[in-house]
Amino acid sequence: MISGPANAASRKAILALAESPRLDTLVRKHGMRLGAARFVAGESLDQLVPVLRRLNEQGLLTNTTLLGEHVHTPDESRAVVRAYREILDRIAAESLKTNVALKLTHLGLDLDEQLAYENVSTLIEHAARLGNFVRMDMEESRWVDATLRIYQRLREAGHENTGTVLQSYLYRTEADLESMLDLKPNLRFVKGAYLEPPDMAYPDKADVDAAYARLVERSLRDGGFTAIATHDEQLIDHAIAFAEREGIPRERFQFQMLYGVRPQLQLDLVKRGFAVLVATPFGPDWYRYLMRRLAERPANTFFFLKNLVRG
Ligand SMILES: Cc1cc2nc3c(=O)[nH]c(=O)nc-3n(C[C@H](O)[C@H](O)[C@H](O)COP(=O)(O)OP(=O)(O)OC[C@H]3O[C@@H](n4cnc5c(N)ncnc54)[C@H](O)[C@@H]3O)c2cc1C
């Protein structure tokens, strides 16, 4: 989330470019070399593992995501399930402190909700056998109902090693949180990364931030586990002060940030004794992910374009 009309316009333009297949082809050809590597930990599992190990050695927890979204056939979604099984096996074999965060559209949500449910259940069961955890990211607002339904079904089926995400920019989110509290949910809170219309989401950053603080307070006080996923130092300080005032034990929350964003802040929080997880995605399909990171901070785009022009 960024503020000001100029920034809002840049964000909109960059997010629109995220849907351009021509730019995807161009950027993908050179992008890793020119700057995407700042945000993406390689294109293969072999490139990912040493990055995760280095982060773990610095005292940081990690998660990983095989980048990609929106598959076209059930078979494609099952190939993604196989890839995630391999990732979970590799994490176990390498004894990494890494869990998995995935997108339900990558597991077929826009083909069939039941297919996505079965695919994610398979992975959660596999993760449970390995003592691991799977979080379902939150995507565009049209997927919120289905994602929350799937989370509820999984919990009712007895799966404890799973969590999901709530976005503070959506007007609906505070009511969603209230309706989930009985489950003692494991929730990651984010501001929200997609382009949403003003009838769904707060257009002003100040409102998004205020909602974020309220959501985190509510979850810390009455929820299950709270993952505070932001690089916003004011909101991080607010959460720490609230947790201390209310006597919330540190095992009940953690901070989460993105690979390549505010690395010093990540380490400073570890030094202060807080759990910090670095979301560390990988895979050849990194174009849309990169565009969302550029949209969050247009200065990143200038850096990237400068490198592109220099070749
Ligand atoms: C671990 C994690 C998981 C996420 N999962 C989801 C999800 O499932 N669904 C979803 O919609 N969104 C997700 N997001 C993205 C989120 O919604 C925001 O778009 C993103 O975190 C930027 O918002 P912010 O909270 O950092 O605050 P902002 O107010 O945008 O930024 C605060 C400060 O952080 C720094 N900063 C923020 N972003 C960047 C960047 N890209 N590059 C450099 N500096 C930056 C800047 O210094 C900025 O001033 C996730 C974010 C994190 C950290």
Side-chain angles (χ1 to χ4, degrees):
M1 287 297 302
I2 49 179
S3 58
N7 272 346
S10 322
R11 177 165 187 261
K12 213 168 160 182
I14 297 167
L15 287 174
L17 284 178
E19 304 307 317
S20 156
R22 271 178 58 202
L23 197 64
D24 179 347
T25 312
L26 177 75
V27 171
R28 209 189 278 232
K29 211 160 139 202
H30 306 289
M32 214 40 164
R33 188 169 52 83
L34 299 177
R38 176 182 160 191
F39 297 108
V40 178
E43 298 203 336
S44 70
L45 202 42
D46 284 339
Q47 289 169 340
L48 170 73
V49 167
V51 176
L52 296 175
R53 190 175 308 290
R54 184 175 51 77
L55 293 166
N56 285 171
E57 282 167 1
Q58 293 176 296
L60 296 157
L61 306 168
T62 44
N63 75 20
T64 195
T65 298
L66 172 63
L67 291 171
E69 39 210 278
H70 302 288
V71 292
H72 300 104
T73 64
D75 275 350
E76 262 184 60
S77 79
R78 286 189 270 269
V80 176
V81 172
R82 285 195 295 280
Y84 270 114
R85 286 178 76 105
E86 193 191 330
I87 293 166
L88 284 161
D89 289 341
R90 183 74 182 270
I91 290 168
E94 303 272 355
S95 305
L96 294 166
K97 289 186 187 139
T98 305
N99 61 46
V100 156
L102 50 76
K103 296 206 182 323
L104 286 175
T105 59
H106 207 191
L107 296 185
L109 183 59
D110 46 0
L111 299 175
D112 175 15
E113 187 172 328
Q114 178 61 19
L115 171 73
Y117 174 77
E118 286 165 14
N119 282 339
V120 77
S121 308
T122 307
L123 284 173
I124 288 168
E125 280 161 22
H126 191 66
R129 283 192 288 275
L130 298 167
N132 212 333
F133 174 90
V134 175
R135 187 179 301 280
M136 297 173 287
D137 286 350
M138 192 57 82
E139 303 177 64
E140 291 95 332
S141 54
R142 65 182 184 281
W143 304 117
V144 174
D145 280 325
T147 303
L148 297 184
R149 262 195 310 270
I150 288 178
Y151 178 68
Q152 171 110 15
R153 274 182 78 185
L154 289 164
R155 291 295 309 280
E156 284 167 4
H159 297 296
E160 298 287 332
N161 62 323
T162 185
T164 188
V165 178
L166 293 179
Q167 299 154 319
S168 75
Y169 63 7
L170 296 182
Y171 302 130
R172 60 174 287 171
T173 297
E174 289 182 70
D176 286 335
L177 175 60
E178 290 305 318
S179 71
M180 295 169 82
L181 286 174
D182 282 351
L183 290 171
K184 292 285 167 207
N186 184 322
L187 292 174
R188 173 204 292 156
F189 291 89
V190 300
K191 292 187 188 180
Y194 299 89
L195 205 52
E196 297 290 353
D199 60 325
M200 310 278 304
Y202 296 108
D204 290 338
K205 178 176 162 53
D207 293 323
V208 179
D209 292 356
Y212 192 97
R214 288 194 300 273
L215 286 161
V216 166
E217 285 187 10
R218 186 80 178 107
S219 174
L220 284 171
R221 191 182 278 135
D222 291 313
F225 186 82
T226 306
I228 302 155
T230 180
H231 314 94
D232 185 326
E233 277 190 79
Q234 269 185 333
L235 286 172
I236 291 171
D237 290 344
H238 179 88
I240 292 173
F242 180 82
E244 279 171 6
R245 208 167 52 239
E246 298 286 318
I248 315 272
R250 287 188 180 191
E251 306 76 64
R252 284 209 27 237
F253 64 97
Q254 71 180 196
F255 295 100
Q256 297 192 349
M257 294 187 215
L258 300 175
Y259 178 67
V261 181
R262 307 297 310 268
Q264 192 54 49
L265 178 59
Q266 298 169 11
L267 293 174
D268 289 346
L269 287 165
V270 169
K271 243 187 246 152
R272 291 168 64 189
F274 294 104
V276 180
L277 177 146
V278 181
T280 312
F282 83 106
D285 203 1
W286 45 259
Y287 173 72
R288 281 185 174 175
Y289 179 83
L290 173 70
M291 296 305 267
R292 286 199 287 272
R293 301 296 75 83
L294 298 184
E296 279 153 10
R297 197 156 179 259
N300 291 342
T301 317
F302 301 132
F303 164 79
F304 187 81
L305 289 178
K306 207 168 66 196
N307 287 345
L308 197 67
V309 171
R310 276 191 194 147

